[in-house]
Amino acid sequence: GESVGLHLPTLSVQEGDNSIINCAYSNSASDYFIWYKQESGKGPQFIIDIRSNMDKRQGQRVTVLLNKTVKHLSLQIAATQPGDSAVYFCAEKENAGGTSYGKLTFGQGTILTVHP
Amino acid sequence: GAGVSQSPSNKVTEKGKDVELRCDPISGHTALYWYRQSLGQGLEFLIYFQGNSAPDKSGLPSDRFSAERTGGSVSTLTIQRTQQEDSAVYLCASSSTRGNTEAFFGQGTRLTVV
């Protein structure tokens, strides 16, 4: 759903630890999912994506897991660094048709803080 | 251009005035989105344009808000009779097709209503 008027959950980790950020999405018709990173004063930037015909995708230090049964998405960051401190958003896109065809809907967001 | 461009980057306006925020999407992108983000909060969907289809205006918070997209490219978000609660960062994004491609965001316009 839309994140309106909500204060964001936070996750604090130590440098070098692995981080897991979770997201519950709302639309069972969504077939494409994206994780974005937003640093202070900037627009969100693409990290990694996954299609609904996959359950796992790996990038550089990041892995996205998709569980369509429970409509859950997670982002794993390996060996978290201070530069990873940011707000992380998941997003879902429905490509099946209807008035929301192709619309990108964002999750609530999570503030990740990495302590040196 | 190389990315999504928004102008102005900052706007301070007096309560009751009208403002226009501009978004230049990536050339060739058919989808364009506007979002609003208050300090420390998430992304609030406002409006979505896709090609020549009727826009999805379901996120516009009141009739003081409107947006248009001319020639399938540049978009303008207009806020009439601004209120202090309109203060936020307004983000624009564009993507190439309805398919499996990510949206690219601009840097946003920080609107302050005093």
Side-chain angles (χ1 to χ4, degrees):
Chain A
E2 305 294 350
S3 51
V4 177
L6 299 172
H7 291 283
L8 304 180
T10 60
L11 174 65
S12 293
V13 300
Q14 292 295 128
E15 181 177 4
D17 287 352
N18 296 331
S19 302
I20 299 176
I21 300 171
N22 296 303
C23 176
Y25 63 93
S26 58
N27 187 351
S28 57
S30 293
D31 55 4
Y32 177 59
F33 305 88
I34 310 168
W35 279 101
Y36 282 91
K37 173 185 181 183
Q38 186 179 27
E39 296 176 295
S40 181
K42 299 182 179 180
Q45 291 188 300
F46 171 88
I47 302 174
I48 191 168
D49 59 3
I50 188 167
R51 292 163 175 69
S52 60
N53 60 353
M54 304 170 67
D55 54 20
K56 180 179 180 179
R57 189 167 188 219
Q58 289 185 292
Q60 188 176 21
R61 284 202 306 118
V62 294
T63 301
V64 55
L65 299 177
L66 174 63
N67 185 330
K68 294 182 288 294
T69 302
V70 295
K71 293 190 286 187
H72 183 268
L73 198 64
S74 68
L75 177 70
Q76 300 177 358
I77 305 174
T80 317
Q81 303 167 2
D84 295 327
S85 294
V87 180
Y88 289 81
F89 293 96
C90 67
E92 57 183 302
K93 182 184 279 193
E94 177 188 344
N95 292 309
T99 58
S100 298
Y101 190 7
K103 175 182 166 183
L104 200 63
T105 301
F106 281 82
Q108 183 182 21
T110 297
I111 301 172
L112 175 66
T113 303
V114 182
H115 301 282
Chain B
V4 178
S5 177
Q6 292 187 245
S7 61
S9 54
N10 282 283
K11 176 72 176 178
V12 180
T13 190
E14 292 181 351
K15 178 181 174 181
K17 299 285 189 182
D18 298 352
V19 295
E20 286 189 350
L21 312 180
R22 177 187 169 104
C23 173
D24 283 89
I26 293 172
S27 179
H29 278 189
T30 57
L32 187 147
Y33 312 79
W34 282 99
Y35 295 89
R36 178 169 71 174
Q37 188 174 36
S38 299
L39 187 63
Q41 296 186 5
L43 296 166
E44 177 187 3
F45 167 76
L46 296 177
I47 188 168
Y48 164 59
F49 296 91
Q50 172 55 266
N52 295 322
S53 301
D56 178 347
K57 303 180 181 180
S58 61
L60 295 178
S62 77
D63 58 8
R64 296 187 295 106
F65 287 72
S66 63
E68 62 178 22
R69 188 177 185 192
T70 54
S73 180
V74 172
S75 178
T76 302
L77 177 69
T78 301
I79 308 173
Q80 296 178 310
R81 305 180 302 282
T82 51
Q83 304 295 314
Q84 288 187 328
E85 60 263 30
D86 299 334
S87 296
V89 175
Y90 289 81
L91 289 159
C92 176
S94 70
S95 65
S96 60
T97 68
R98 296 181 182 183
N100 295 331
T101 58
E102 74 270 27
F104 296 84
F105 280 83
Q107 296 289 59
T109 293
R110 181 174 297 279
L111 176 66
T112 304
V113 183
V114 297

